Amino acid sequence: MSRAQTARISRLSRRSLLRTLGGGAVLGALAGCGVPAAYVAPGDRAAADRSARERRVTFANWPLYIDTDDSDASKRPTLEAFEKRTGTAVDYVEEINDNDEFFGKISPALMNHQPTGRDLIVISDWMCGRFVRLGWVQEMDRASQANVTKYLDPQLRSPAFDPGRRYTVPWQSGITGLAYDRRRLGREIRQVSDLWADDLKGRVTLLSGLDEAFALLMQGNGVDITRWTADDFHTVCDQVEARVHDGHIRRFTGNDYTKDLVSGDVLACQAYSGDVIQLQADNPDIRFVVPEEGAELWSESLMIPDLARHKTNAERLVDHYYDPEVAAELAAWVNYVCPVPAAQDVLASAGDKDTAALAEDPLIFPDTTMRRHLAVARDITPGERRDFAKRWNGIVGL
C-alpha cells in the first residue's frame, strides 16, 4: 500500500449528499429568489485586504485531503513550502465533513454580510454553484495567478455554474463510474446497463446523493449530461424506482459502498475513482471502469468567501498548488484526478518506482481515450432542485 493510500484509509466521502429534503429545499430557496436579501451584489463582496500587513491565511478543507510528512502526520510539506517561500503563515483547518453541514455553518455570516473567518474554502462544485449564484464568493485576480492560468486542466476551465472559472479553482477532481470485483463476478463490466444483469440482482448499490448519482445513470441512457432535461431525469427515476421494487438494487449508499464491495455482499456499484485506487492496494481484483457510454468528471474547488480579510494571500496559496511540482506532490498523496496535467511529467521523473508509477494511472491522469468518455454535468438549477430532490429522496428513502 502506498503512503498516499495509507493516508486516505479513514477519509470521509468527498461528495457528501443532500441528506434531507429540508436541506435541498433550503438551498433551492436561497439559490433562487425566495430570499432576495441572501444575494450579495459584486460591489459588496470585498473587505479591506490585510494581506500586506498580516502575512497569514486561513484555509478550511476536508479531513485527510492534503499531503503529510511520513514521520510526522501533523506536518504538511506543501503548505510548509508555501509558508517558507512567501513568509505567509497558513492556519489550516480540517473542518469540512459535509457540504450541507458546512453551508449551515457559514451561511448565517454570508447572508448577513459578515466575514466567515476563513480566507479559502474547498467544497464540491455542485455546492460551489450555489455560492456563486448567491454572490457569496469573490472573483479571483487571475493576473496574480500565473500557474492557474497556464496549467489548469482545459476540461475543467469553464463549468456551467462558473464560466471561465472566475470564482472557483479545482482543488482535486474525480470520476464517478462503476466498480466491481472481477474475480467474484467472473466477467468484465463495460456499460451501465451491465448493472442490471439478472445474476446481479440484490448485489448492486447506487449512490444515495442526488447530485452524486444522476449523471452516470443518465449517461447509461445515452444522454449528453452537459445538456440533460427534466424528462431525462424522470426517466432515470422511473428506471431506478422499478429496480428498487423488484429487489435488484440492494441499497443506496454514501461512501460506505466500499465496505460492501470488499466483503463481497455487493459485486458491482457506482463508485468514485479515488476510492477504488485505495481498494486496489489490498485487492487488485476490484476494478474501476469508465463505462462505454461515459462517466461524470467532477471537482471540489477552492473559493474565497465574501469579506475574506486576506484575499491576496489566498490567491497566492491557490496559485502555489498549481505549480506542477507542488501539484504532483499533492496528487501522490490524495490519488484523485489531478487538475494540473503538467504534474504527470513531474511524477514520471520521480526516483521512487511507486511514485513514478502514479504518472501512468489513468484515474489520476486520464489519457486521451478516457477523456473522450468524461463529461462535466450540467448542474441542477435552483428551480429544479426542490421537485427533483423530493422525487429522488422518496425513491432512496431519505
Side-chain angles (χ1 to χ4, degrees), residues 293-327:
E293 307 99 322
E296 181 190 10
L297 178 65
W298 49 265
S299 299
E300 284 166 332
S301 291
L302 297 145
M303 300 191 301
I304 300 173
D306 289 356
L307 304 181
R309 302 302 192 189
H310 309 95
K311 181 174 184 286
T312 298
N313 292 340
E315 289 168 339
R316 288 174 180 154
L317 182 55
V318 172
D319 205 53
H320 170 72
Y321 277 98
Y322 271 72
D323 179 319
E325 296 278 349
V326 178

Side-chain angles (χ1 to χ4, degrees), residues 325-338:
E325 296 278 349
V326 178
E329 190 170 358
L330 180 61
W333 276 87
V334 300
N335 289 179
Y336 273 92
V337 175
C338 180

Side-chain angles (χ1 to χ4, degrees), residues 218 228-235 378 384 388:
M218 284 185 186
W228 58 270
T229 68
D231 286 344
D232 296 325
F233 173 79
H234 288 297
T235 295
R378 160 177 97 71
E384 294 168 329
F388 286 6

